[in-house]
C-alpha cells in the first residue's frame, strides 16, 4: 500500500483540518506550504486573529485581508488583542500610553473599522467574538452593536470584551441565542434594550458589566445565565421561566427578585442580603450553592427546595460583620427545608456559627464535605459539632493544596475516625472554594 499524503485526503476533510488550525497566522503558513491548501483555506468555518507585536502587517489590515479571502458558510470569527500589549512594570517610569492610548490601531469595536470588513462576511457570519484593547476603547463610546445588529442577520453567537458600548440604534437580532459581555461599559442601565433586541437568547453571560442601575433581565427563552454584578446596582431582578442554570454574584442589593421556577442549578452569592429578597418558588432545583454572611435571612425566603440533592454553603473570607456576629445557622433548618438532601458541603465554618437547634433532630445525608481550615488542625471542636448533628454517612475532609503534609492529614483524619467511628472517612485535596 502506497504512502498517503495529507494533500490526498478528501477536500471536505482538509477543510475540517484547516478549520481546526484556528489562528490566522498558522492558517497563512498552511496556505504557503501547499498549493492544495491555498483554495481550501478560503472555505474554513472557524478562524481567529490575535495580535502579535512582531507581525509586520498592522492588525486591522490583517483582519481586512482575511475577511476578503473567506467564503465559508457558516463562519465563526474571533478577533483578540488581549495578549497584544502588556502594561508596564509598576516600578517603571515608562508608563506613557498605559492608562489611555490615543492611538486606535487596536480599537476593534470602532464602527469605521468594522464597516471596512464586516459587510464582506456578514451574510455568512454565525459566530463573532471580539476582545478589544481596553486602553484604546475605554474612553471611546462605540455604536458597534447597532452596526452588527443591522448587518449580521444570521448571527447566532456574539461575544464582546473590553469595550464601551452604546445601544443607540440597536435592532432586534431574532436569531441570536448566545451573548457574552465581559468587562463592558454598557449604556443600558436597566437592560431594557438587551431584553427587547435579543428576545431569543438561551445563553447570557454578563461579567464585569458597568453602567447598570436597576437591571431587570426578562428573557422568556433563557436557559443558562452567568452574571457578576458590581456593588453599584441596588435593584436586581430576573424573570426567566425556562432558566435551568443560574450563577450570580452580587454584594448588597436593596431589592433582589428571582422568577425562575425551573432552575436545576442555582449558584448564588449575596454577601450581605440586607434588603428585600424574593427567591420565588423552585420546582426542579437539585443543586444549590450559597455564599453569604446571612444564611438565616436567605433560608427564610426559600420556597420549594425539597428537591435539592446537593447543598453547598460557603462563607466569605474576612472578618464577620459586626451586625452578624450573633447570627447562627440552625442545623435543624436543613431537615425542615431540605428534606431530600443527599450531600452537604460546608466551607468557612470557622467564620460562622452553627448550632444544632433541636438536639433530637439530625440531618440524614449520604455525603458530607467539610473544609478543613488551619484553625481546625489543632482545634477539633468546630467540625465535631457538625458531626454530632448528622446521622452516620461518608465524610470528606477538604484540604487545600498548600495545607499540611500527608502525615498531619492522616493524623487529623485518624483523630476524627477514633472519635466518630460510625462515619466513613475520606480526604480531598484541591482548591478550597472561598
Amino acid at each position: 500500500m502506497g504512502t498517503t499524503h495529507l494533500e490526498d485526503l478528501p477536500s471536505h476533510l482538509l477543510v475540517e483540518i484547516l478549520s481546526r488550525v484556528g489562528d490566522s497566522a498558522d492558517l497563512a503558513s498552511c496556505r504557503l506550504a501547499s498549493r492544495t491548501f491555498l483554495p481550501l483555506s478560503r472555505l474554513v468555518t472557524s478562524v481567529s486573529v490575535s495580535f502579535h507585536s512582531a507581525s509586520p502587517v498592522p492588525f486591522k489590515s490583517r483582519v481586512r485581508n482575511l475577511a476578503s479571502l473567506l467564503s465559508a458558510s457558516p463562519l465563526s470569527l474571533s478577533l483578540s488583542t488581549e495578549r497584544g500589549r502588556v502594561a508596564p512594570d509598576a516600578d517603571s517610569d515608562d508608563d506613557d500610553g498605559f492608562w489611555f492610548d490615543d492611538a486606535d490601531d487596536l480599537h476593534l469595536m470602532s464602527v469605521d473599522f468594522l464597516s471596512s470588513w464586516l459587510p464582506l462576511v456578514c451574510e455568512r457570519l454565525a459566530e463573532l467574538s471580539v476582545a478589544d484593547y481596553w486602553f484604546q476603547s475605554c474612553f471611546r463610546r462605540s455604536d458597534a452593536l447597532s452596526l452588527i445588529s443591522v448587518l449580521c442577520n444570521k448571527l447566532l453567537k456574539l461575544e464582546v470584551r473590553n469595550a464601551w458600548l452604546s445601544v443607540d440604534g440597536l435592532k432586534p437580532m431574532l436569531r441570536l441565542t448566545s451573548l457574552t459581555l465581559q468587562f463592558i461599559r454598557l449604556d443600558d442601565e436597566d437592560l431594557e434594550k438587551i431584553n427587547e433586541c435579543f428576545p431569543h437568547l438561551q445563553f447570557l453571560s454578563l461579567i464585569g458589566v458597568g453602567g447598570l442601575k436597576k437591571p431587570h433581565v426578562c428573557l422568556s427563552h433563557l436557559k443558562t445565565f452567568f452574571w457578576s454584578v458590581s456593588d453599584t446596582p441596588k435593584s436586581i431582578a430576573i424573570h426567566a421561566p425556562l432558566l435551568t442554570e443560574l450563577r450570580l454574584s452580587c454584594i448588597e442589593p436593596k431589592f433582589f427578585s428571582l422568577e425562575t421556577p425551573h432552575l436545576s442549578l442555582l449558584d448564588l452569592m449575596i454577601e450581605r442580603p440586607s434588603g428585600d429578597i424574593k427567591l420565588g418558588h423552585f420546582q426542579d432545583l437539585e443543586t444549590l450553592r450559597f455564599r453569604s454572611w446571612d444564611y438565616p435571612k436567605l433560608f427564610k425566603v426559600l420556597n420549594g427546595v425539597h428537591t435539592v440533592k446537593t447543598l453547598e454553603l460557603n462563607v466569605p473570607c474576612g472578618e464577620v460583620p459586626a451586625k452578624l456576629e450573633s447570627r447562627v445557622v440552625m442545623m435543624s433548618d436543613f431537615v425542615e427545608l431540605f428534606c431530600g438532601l443527599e450531600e452537604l458541603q460546608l466551607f468557612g465554618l470557622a467564620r460562622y456559627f452553627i448550632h444544632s437547634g433541636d438536639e433530637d433532630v439530625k440531618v440524614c445525608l449520604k455525603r458530607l464535605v467539610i473544609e478543613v481550615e488551619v484553625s481546625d488542625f489543632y482545634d477539633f471542636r468546630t467540625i465535631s459539632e457538625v458531626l454530632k448533628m448528622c446521622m452516620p454517612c461518608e465524610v470528606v475532609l477538604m484540604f487545600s493544596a498548600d495545607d499540611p503534609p500527608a502525615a498531619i492529614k492522616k493524623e487529623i483524619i485518624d483523630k476524627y475516625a477514633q472519635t466518630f467511628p460510625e462515619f466513613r472517612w475520606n480526604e480531598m485535596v484541591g482548591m478550597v472554594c472561598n
Side-chain angles (χ1 to χ4, degrees), residues 12-51:
H12 70 279
L13 290 181
L14 291 176
V15 171
E16 179 66 23
I17 292 172
L18 292 174
S19 296
R20 294 173 182 266
V21 168
D23 188 76
S24 62
D26 295 332
L27 186 62
S29 299
C30 291
R31 286 199 296 267
L32 296 175
S34 169
R35 290 183 178 179
T36 303
F37 293 159
L38 181 58
L40 295 179
S41 65
R42 298 173 179 268
L43 303 177
V44 295
T45 58
S46 178
V47 63
S48 63
V49 189
S50 299
F51 175 80

Side-chain angles (χ1 to χ4, degrees), residues 294-297 299-300 311 313 326-338 341 344 346 352-359 361-363 385-386 389:
D294 197 345
Y295 286 111
K297 183 177 182 63
F299 286 167
K300 287 179 181 179
L311 174 65
L313 301 182
S326 61
R327 302 278 182 142
V328 297
V329 171
M330 295 292 184
M331 289 294 283
S332 55
D333 291 341
F334 291 100
V335 177
E336 182 178 350
L337 279 172
F338 307 101
L341 194 63
L344 176 61
L346 300 174
Y352 214 80
F353 302 90
I354 295 184
H355 191 272
S356 61
D358 187 344
E359 295 183 359
V361 176
K362 291 193 175 184
V363 181
E385 285 301 313
V386 174
M389 306 172 200

Side-chain angles (χ1 to χ4, degrees), residues 99-253:
W99 295 111
F100 299 102
D101 190 339
D102 290 333
D104 66 353
D105 57 317
L106 295 177
H107 179 30
L108 304 187
M109 292 303 285
S110 162
V111 170
D112 289 341
F113 168 62
L114 291 174
S115 299
S116 68
W117 63 268
L118 196 55
L120 300 175
V121 296
C122 61
E123 286 299 319
R124 304 185 300 275
L125 203 57
E127 299 182 4
L128 176 62
S129 175
V130 181
D132 212 334
Y133 181 51
W134 179 246
F135 302 118
Q136 290 185 9
S137 65
C138 64
F139 61 97
R140 290 184 168 106
R141 186 173 181 263
S142 172
D143 291 322
L145 282 183
S146 174
L147 178 67
I148 293 171
S149 69
V150 171
L151 295 178
C152 303
N153 297 319
K154 298 180 181 179
L155 199 64
L156 303 176
K157 181 178 180 179
L158 176 62
E159 298 180 355
V160 183
R161 294 175 172 83
N162 313 327
W164 178 7
L165 299 178
S166 165
V167 293
D168 293 344
L170 184 61
K171 305 297 182 183
M173 300 184 70
L174 302 183
R175 294 193 179 188
L176 195 74
T177 58
S178 177
L179 176 64
T180 296
L181 300 179
Q182 185 171 352
F183 306 123
I184 296 293
R185 179 178 174 182
L186 184 66
D187 291 351
D188 188 16
E189 59 186 29
D190 299 334
L191 295 179
E192 179 181 355
K193 295 294 288 186
I194 296 293
N195 295 325
E196 176 187 341
C197 295
F198 307 127
H200 295 147
L201 285 180
Q202 297 181 22
F203 175 89
L204 178 60
S205 179
L206 303 176
I207 307 299
V209 176
L212 306 180
K213 292 185 177 181
K214 294 183 178 181
H216 179 195
V217 174
C218 185
L219 294 166
S220 59
H221 297 276
L222 193 63
K223 295 181 179 179
T224 304
F225 188 13
F226 303 154
W227 195 5
S228 176
V229 188
S230 70
D231 192 30
T232 301
K234 298 304 180 183
S235 175
I236 299 170
I238 300 175
H239 175 79
L242 297 184
L243 192 66
T244 59
E245 180 179 354
L246 174 62
R247 301 175 188 268
L248 189 153
S249 63
C250 55
I251 308 298
E252 191 175 4

Side-chain angles (χ1 to χ4, degrees), residues 344 346 349 368-372 383 386-387 395-398:
L344 176 61
L346 300 174
L349 292 181
L368 175 63
V369 180
I370 306 179
E371 173 194 357
V372 181
I383 294 179
V386 174
L387 295 173
V395 179
V396 178
L397 297 183
M398 170 76 80

Side-chain angles (χ1 to χ4, degrees), residues 55-75:
S55 175
V57 182
F59 184 79
K60 288 186 175 181
S61 296
R62 289 171 53 204
V63 175
R64 296 187 188 99
N65 293 339
L66 180 66
S68 66
L69 295 174
L70 297 175
S71 60
S73 179
L75 174 66

